Amino acid sequence: MEDYNFVVGQEFPDVKTFRSAIKEAAIAQHFELRIIKSDLIRYIAKCASEGCPWRIRAVKVPNAPTFTIKSLEGTHTCGRNAQNGHHQASVDWIVSFIEERLRDNINYKPKDILHDIHKQYGITIPYKQAWRAKERGLAAIFGSSEEGYCLLPSFCDKLKKANAGSIAEVFTTGADSRFQRFFISFYASIHGFLNGCLPIVGLGEIQLKSRYLGTLLSATSYDADGGLFPLAFGVVDVENDESWMWFLSELHKALEMNSENIPHLTFISDGQKGILDAVKRKFPSSSHALCMRHLSKSMGKEFKNSRLVNLLWKAAYATSTSGFKEKMAEIEEISYEAAKWIQQFPPSRWALIYFEGTRYGHFSSNTDEFNTWILEARELPILQVIERIHSKLMSEFEERRSKGNSWFSVLAPSAEKRMIEALACASSFKVLRSDEVEFEVISPERSDIVHLGTRSCSCRDWQLYGTPCAHAVAALLSCGKDVYAFTEKCFTVASYRQAYSQTIHPIPGELVWKKPDEEPANGDIQVVRPPKFRRPPGRPEKKRICVEHLNREKHTVHCSRCNQTGHYKTTCKADAVRSIEQF
């Protein structure tokens, strides 16, 4: 408390500094102020408690901005009279208290603000006041949500000038130009994907939490080492079938502009109808797989059984129809309802044995990894979210470019590791040659057929991963062929270097941007206003479990087809048995 004691003659740089100091002292020493006079040349205040003699007077020094204390009367006799709150602990004061903390951690929660203020000053402030202070603090540091939308056109213009060939477009709706959608794809990402990445595109989304909400849609891929490679992303006011159709249309345009022939792609998503329809329409020749991570999570939430989830993964990885049916039968033995539930997802969308496309061993999309880039920035204005992604991309491309130049192997490390393991296993195999391209490879456990012409093995690992399996390696070595020549090009170090060969350049800071009202009136720069929909006030509603419903006696259902209880006609086991047989 000694830091908050004042003496006559004490000077302060200006009136603002003095006011902050007296307010800080009042809060720290738990007394309320009653301000008698406060202007640019004098400040007079006393303790608000009845009968307390404490009083202070400060004035401005002539011909200088300095403020000095002229008189300080009495000592406090009021005691600690401001424990549960303080009139001086305004939102502005809380903002000044949390500003540095917010810069270090934008997820600094209101409950943590309450805790830190109580710990340091011993006072309790309302939760709503802490929440407002955080909102105002974020706006002061990063700009307001409205300003973020307003600056989007200028940002797009600067981005395209700094990164030639990149795409950055804002789409508005209505006569008042309300924000609707935003799409961005850097030329470095497009070039890297077409020339050095696996032909796989993961689609995903993440909800934004700024004042005007919105959803960030993303398209990602894998580099030669299995790392995340962001291809494109966009922000939409509302996620629906139409917004996904728009996003896939923009992605198709971006790829078409930079390639004579778009390669055959495999899309991986959560399988919602809007994505399925959009991919089918915009990329008709592509394959589409369900994200196994999403599918297994859905099963886990639905049935709360880890064994079912484990069996689902084993069914997905099964390399024979008999193996697949065996795992599906095990699922049905544990839970008939789970077997019925999984039927809504065709095996051709998620099971290896039935999937017609190529996934190179990737059963899940990596959009969740991309979402972690902005997980902490979701509460910021839209422009700050985009800048976070841009900064991350810029640093990742530079770091991986340096890493790729330090490799001297033929394949990227993860693929090289698989090759080394295959070479080690192949040394113990016996190879029987049938003709120029077909071989029988005999191992202690089994016998497999390898066909060099179609680059396939009956174990299916070669087709699954894109690198020769141990059986294929044994066959290739037996006829003196280079095993690396039979590996997919997308796994080579050369492809990895191509993926990151282009540079993502920095964009000038906001201070050099021009706001739309500062631009010349030539109609080139559009004015973008925020969406009409705003985040509703208060805490979001939560679904709560009613104890009465838990204790209520359950209704017994009856099947009209087999006359058994416990299920309906639509979930009758007779249908499930026939469906499993059809697999």
Side-chain angles (χ1 to χ4, degrees):
M1 292 300 174
E2 290 76 8
D3 294 339
Y4 300 105
N5 289 332
F6 299 107
V7 295
V8 175
Q10 186 175 350
E11 293 186 344
F12 301 85
D14 50 43
V15 64
K16 184 178 180 180
T17 306
F18 173 75
R19 288 171 181 167
S20 298
I22 195 70
K23 179 183 287 189
E24 192 83 7
I27 295 171
Q29 297 179 356
H30 294 254
F31 68 89
E32 292 285 3
L33 275 174
R34 179 172 296 169
I35 300 172
I36 299 171
K37 189 72 175 179
S38 177
D39 54 33
L40 295 178
I41 60 172
R42 55 190 166 179
Y43 183 96
I44 304 172
K46 68 176 185 176
C47 180
S49 293
E50 194 70 31
C52 183
W54 186 88
R55 184 184 180 98
I56 190 170
R57 183 171 70 91
V59 298
K60 178 179 176 296
V61 174
N63 302 321
T66 309
F67 244 64
T68 182
I69 297 177
K70 278 293 183 180
S71 64
L72 186 61
E73 303 173 8
T75 57
H76 284 288
T77 60
C78 53
R80 299 169 68 87
N81 61 355
Q83 297 181 21
N84 294 325
H86 204 290
H87 288 135
Q88 299 299 320
S90 62
V91 172
D92 287 337
W93 177 80
I94 300 173
V95 170
S96 65
F97 175 79
I98 67 175
E99 186 171 356
E100 289 305 315
R101 292 173 172 86
L102 271 180
R103 289 184 187 275
D104 297 333
N105 177 22
I106 58 177
N107 285 325
Y108 189 34
K109 298 179 180 179
K111 66 177 183 180
D112 297 326
I113 297 173
L114 299 178
H115 175 269
D116 291 346
I117 289 178
H118 187 270
K119 182 179 179 181
Q120 184 164 337
Y121 294 100
I123 61 172
T124 302
I125 60 173
Y127 179 93
K128 193 172 184 179
Q129 197 168 359
W131 184 86
R132 285 176 176 171
K134 180 185 176 181
E135 290 282 295
R136 193 176 297 181
L138 289 174
I141 298 169
F142 301 105
S144 66
S145 295
E146 293 79 7
E147 186 182 40
Y149 290 104
C150 181
L151 289 172
L152 269 180
S154 294
F155 175 84
C156 292
D157 183 56
K158 299 297 181 185
L159 183 150
K160 288 185 285 188
K161 287 180 179 178
N163 296 270
S166 297
I167 300 170
E169 299 293 339
V170 184
F171 299 82
T172 59
T173 182
D176 51 353
S177 296
R178 296 283 179 178
F179 173 85
Q180 186 182 27
R181 296 163 185 154
F182 171 80
F183 181 86
I184 182 170
S185 184
F186 289 92
Y187 173 74
S189 295
I190 301 171
H191 177 274
F193 172 72
L194 292 172
N195 294 277
C197 287
L198 276 63
I200 298 174
V201 178
L203 300 174
E205 74 286 329
I206 184 172
Q207 300 298 317
L208 303 180
K209 295 184 177 180
S210 65
R211 177 176 295 181
Y212 296 95
L213 301 177
T215 304
L216 185 137
L217 310 181
S218 58
T220 60
S221 186
Y222 292 90
D223 61 29
D225 199 35
L228 166 69
F229 189 91
L231 172 57
F233 62 93
V235 178
V236 294
D237 54 351
V238 178
E239 183 204 359
N240 51 31
D241 295 356
E242 184 183 348
S243 61
W244 275 112
M245 188 68 73
W246 162 82
F247 183 71
L248 268 297
S249 175
E250 294 300 314
L251 179 62
H252 186 274
K253 290 177 187 176
L255 297 176
E256 196 175 39
M257 287 169 56
N258 293 273
S259 175
E260 293 182 3
N261 296 304
I262 298 176
H264 180 84
L265 302 176
T266 294
F267 287 87
I268 304 177
S269 73
D270 60 9
Q272 59 175 284
K273 187 177 183 301
I275 298 179
L276 292 173
D277 292 343
V279 169
K280 187 175 181 180
R281 182 173 174 182
K282 298 301 177 180
F283 296 87
S285 62
S286 65
S287 304
H288 199 158
L290 285 176
C291 174
M292 273 302 297
R293 185 186 296 114
H294 175 84
L295 188 60
S296 60
K297 281 184 179 179
S298 298
M299 175 176 264
K301 289 179 181 179
E302 187 75 19
F303 299 102
K304 307 292 190 299
N305 190 323
S306 59
R307 189 180 171 194
L308 286 173
V309 173
N310 188 39
L311 286 171
L312 180 67
W313 277 98
K314 289 182 177 180
Y317 274 101
T319 56
S320 65
T321 55
S322 59
F324 175 80
K325 289 180 180 179
E326 179 184 338
K327 298 307 174 186
M328 293 299 293
E330 288 185 47
I331 290 176
E332 186 180 4
E333 286 178 11
I334 298 173
S335 171
Y336 163 72
E337 289 76 14
K340 188 69 177 178
W341 178 85
I342 198 64
Q343 289 178 35
Q344 64 183 302
F345 308 104
S348 59
R349 294 281 187 185
W350 57 274
L352 171 65
I353 189 65
Y354 295 108
F355 185 68
E356 295 180 355
T358 305
R359 287 184 286 189
Y360 299 105
H362 295 287
F363 281 73
S364 304
S365 73
N366 53 5
T367 53
D368 287 347
E369 184 182 349
F370 174 74
N371 291 340
T372 59
W373 288 11
I374 62 160
L375 202 58
E376 295 183 352
R378 287 193 294 168
E379 297 183 22
L380 298 181
I382 182 173
L383 196 58
Q384 298 296 329
V385 174
I386 297 165
E387 285 189 314
R388 288 292 175 98
I389 297 174
H390 167 251
S391 299
K392 183 69 174 177
L393 277 172
M394 193 163 56
S395 61
E396 286 290 327
F397 265 62
E398 175 58 32
E399 181 182 332
R400 296 184 187 186
R401 189 183 302 113
S402 300
K403 185 167 64 172
N405 290 331
S406 68
W407 295 339
F408 298 101
S409 57
V410 177
L411 303 180
S414 59
E416 188 70 31
K417 181 182 178 182
R418 288 198 301 271
M419 183 64 78
I420 292 172
E421 292 173 352
L423 286 166
C425 292
S427 60
S428 62
F429 294 168
K430 181 180 179 181
V431 180
L432 301 177
R433 186 167 187 170
S434 174
D435 55 28
E436 288 295 320
V437 294
E438 193 171 35
F439 300 79
E440 181 183 1
V441 181
I442 303 172
S443 63
E445 300 84 14
R446 54 187 286 174
S447 172
D448 288 278
I449 305 300
V450 175
H451 198 287
L452 302 185
T454 58
R455 296 194 176 191
S456 63
C457 177
S458 57
C459 76
R460 294 185 63 87
D461 277 5
W462 196 356
Q463 300 92 301
L464 173 61
Y465 293 104
T467 56
C469 60
H471 312 107
V473 168
L476 289 166
L477 291 176
S478 70
C479 59
K481 294 187 181 295
D482 182 10
V483 294
Y484 291 102
F486 286 81
T487 302
E488 292 292 335
K489 181 185 175 183
C490 56
F491 290 109
T492 62
V493 170
S495 290
Y496 186 91
R497 291 171 179 168
Q498 272 293 317
Y500 300 102
S501 62
Q502 301 298 310
T503 303
I504 294 181
H505 299 282
I507 303 169
E510 290 184 31
L511 292 177
V512 300
W513 300 354
K514 292 182 179 180
K515 295 183 181 180
D517 56 355
E518 298 170 347
E519 291 285 346
N522 55 11
D524 291 340
I525 301 296
Q526 62 184 130
V527 177
V528 178
R529 293 179 173 82
K532 290 185 178 180
F533 180 80
R534 295 179 58 175
R535 181 182 59 204
R539 182 174 296 179
E541 292 184 3
K542 292 183 177 180
K543 292 183 179 179
R544 303 189 181 276
I545 299 174
C546 181
V547 178
E548 295 179 0
H549 292 172
L550 291 177
N551 297 329
R552 186 173 58 191
E553 185 177 348
K554 292 184 178 180
H555 172 67
T556 302
V557 297
H558 183 269
C559 177
S560 61
R561 172 170 294 167
C562 65
N563 295 322
Q564 299 295 318
T565 59
H567 63 273
Y568 295 103
K569 176 182 176 181
T570 54
T571 59
C572 185
K573 189 173 182 180
D575 288 341
V577 173
R578 285 194 293 269
S579 298
I580 292 295
E581 290 297 324
Q582 290 174 1
F583 285 159

